[in-house]
Amino acid sequence: MSTEIRLFKGTFAHTPKAGELDLFQGGVGVDSKGKIAFVARSEEEIRAAHDRFTVTQTVDKEGNNNIFLPGFVDTHAHAPQYAFAGTAHGVPLLKWLDTFTFPTESKFGSLEFANQVYSAAVNRKVKNGTTTTCWFATIHLPASKTLFDINSNLGARAFVGKVAMDRNSPDYYIEASASASLADTESLIQYCHERDSNNLVKPIITPRFVGTCTPQLMRGLGDLAKKYDAHIQSHISESLNEVEWTLSFHPELKTYGGIYDHFGLLTSKTIMAHGCWLVPEEYVMLKERGVSIAHCPNSNFTLVSGMMDSRNMFEAGLKFGLGTDVAGGFSPSMLDAFRCALHTSSAREHLPKDAGEVSKPVLSWRESLYLMTQGGADALCIGDRVGTFEVGKEFDAISVDHTVKNSPYDLFDMDTTTSKLEKFLFIGDDRNIMDVYVQGKRIGGSA
């Protein structure tokens, strides 16, 4: 008996490599487990697939004004901060944490409030075409479990981390001890493992950053990561003041990255947000450890933190993707992250150069598209599962309609398939995103 599949027909675009845009018209067959069974690049190949598979449903998006893209991957976002996204601007990072972030996150001891904010945050992400999000929660274990449940029940792909912080935090928002923090972190890991039946929502060990974690806590988190082969996320070199403050706690260690490494927190499953002020030896260390970077350009502009050098990241061979960093970044949309990454790269070219330093190519839109799809998936160590339309991968995708009512951009006779895609990426928004699929299941969209 032949395999039953659903056939998605239309125009497809993806970026298998940075800067390499692959556009094709045809069909993608998806099996009952949400995996891509075949990719057909012509009507002839689609007809041939009918001889090998049983088509139970056809999702027909053929026509010149629709396109399928891989689902967007947000490598760094703070779910509780969605409550004040779009506010609290013009304050540097450390003051911003004390003034806005910690007071808000402390409210998540209330499960009612947590459910309200987390439901809105996750649904807003999906509405904007994000199929995978790497979430920070808060220090509260019950609320962190709620964030897991919301993602799991919706069918969104996610990483969920309970924040660990036991020093240099306000009395009203700090964990009682390193041992208590570690116990809650391990409890969340076990909770996720017991309930992740679809292999979609994973736990991620989450020290907030060095300044708020004692050596005992960081060492214990490193041990938990090793015990469970778990993912790790945190922040690194976001602002100059933060770097100086961080190094003051560990004068025996030379770099921010070196501190994490000392406690076993730099692994091939680690993703660090920002990296605006990395020094050369940190690039080498991160590459050797297989660490990834979450580039969060909106947040870096908004909090006046710095401008990460995406070209240096590529040249150093580091894995990196894009992140919204809600609410340091005011927009939950990965299209905004896509655009801000391009602005950051262009702005860096206007910085004064050292003697002998030459100009480097600015980030291209094809590279930025790669970073919010396959690049982000690689950064989260799921690039073998999602990020492109390839046989064996899972069908995480969005369908875009260029001519939906009230679309924020217009088309003309001269437009090509590529120029229509560019218009969506630079001008489009959630109104154009008709369907959002994870593992082949429709979980959202404006249609």
Side-chain angles (χ1 to χ4, degrees), residues 366-417:
R366 290 172 176 82
E367 289 173 314
S368 198
L369 174 58
Y370 167 84
L371 290 174
M372 73 169 173
T373 53
Q374 183 63 52
D378 286 339
L380 293 174
C381 303
I382 55 172
D384 60 334
R385 297 178 59 195
V386 298
T388 55
F389 299 117
E390 297 179 70
V391 172
K393 286 193 174 184
E394 295 168 33
F395 190 75
D396 286 16
I398 64 172
S399 73
V400 172
D401 186 342
H402 299 301
T403 56
V404 67
K405 185 178 180 180
N406 295 322
S407 174
Y409 56 95
D410 298 298
L411 302 181
F412 302 97
D413 291 342
M414 67 180 186
D415 275 311
T416 64
T417 301

Side-chain angles (χ1 to χ4, degrees), residues 296-359:
C296 305
N298 183 314
S299 173
N300 297 153
F301 279 135
T302 301
L303 298 180
V304 200
S305 297
M307 294 187 290
M308 196 208 80
D309 191 334
S310 56
R311 189 56 59 196
N312 267 5
M313 290 287 171
F314 275 127
E315 291 178 354
L318 285 171
K319 297 178 295 182
F320 72 109
L322 301 183
T324 58
D325 194 23
V326 168
F330 53 76
S331 174
S333 171
M334 285 301 295
L335 290 172
D336 175 84
F338 163 93
R339 297 159 191 165
C340 286
L342 296 171
H343 295 159
T344 298
S345 181
S346 297
R348 285 195 61 87
E349 276 305 295
H350 293 280
L351 296 175
K353 293 179 172 54
D354 296 331
E357 187 179 359
V358 298
S359 294

Side-chain angles (χ1 to χ4, degrees), residues 78-117:
H78 292 259
Q81 295 176 21
Y82 183 66
F84 65 94
T87 69
H89 311 303
V91 180
L93 173 63
L94 297 179
K95 185 177 180 181
W96 179 81
L97 289 171
D98 288 332
T99 306
F100 302 105
T101 302
F102 294 157
T104 300
E105 292 191 8
S106 70
K107 300 178 186 297
F108 283 75
S110 163
L111 282 179
E112 181 180 0
F113 184 64
N115 187 69
Q116 178 188 7
V117 175

Side-chain angles (χ1 to χ4, degrees), residues 421-432:
L421 172 59
E422 288 182 81
K423 286 185 174 184
F424 165 69
L425 292 173
F426 282 91
I427 311 174
D429 59 27
D430 59 322
R431 287 170 288 185
N432 301 101

Side-chain angles (χ1 to χ4, degrees), residues 148 158-161 188-190 192-193 201-205 230-231:
F148 170 91
F159 294 83
V160 174
L188 181 64
I189 292 171
Q190 294 170 346
C192 296
H193 286 172
V201 188
K202 301 298 182 184
I204 184 165
I205 289 172
H231 290 76

Side-chain angles (χ1 to χ4, degrees), residues 183-197:
D184 281 354
T185 296
E186 186 164 23
S187 179
L188 181 64
I189 292 171
Q190 294 170 346
Y191 184 88
C192 296
H193 286 172
E194 291 166 0
R195 290 163 176 79
D196 183 28
S197 58

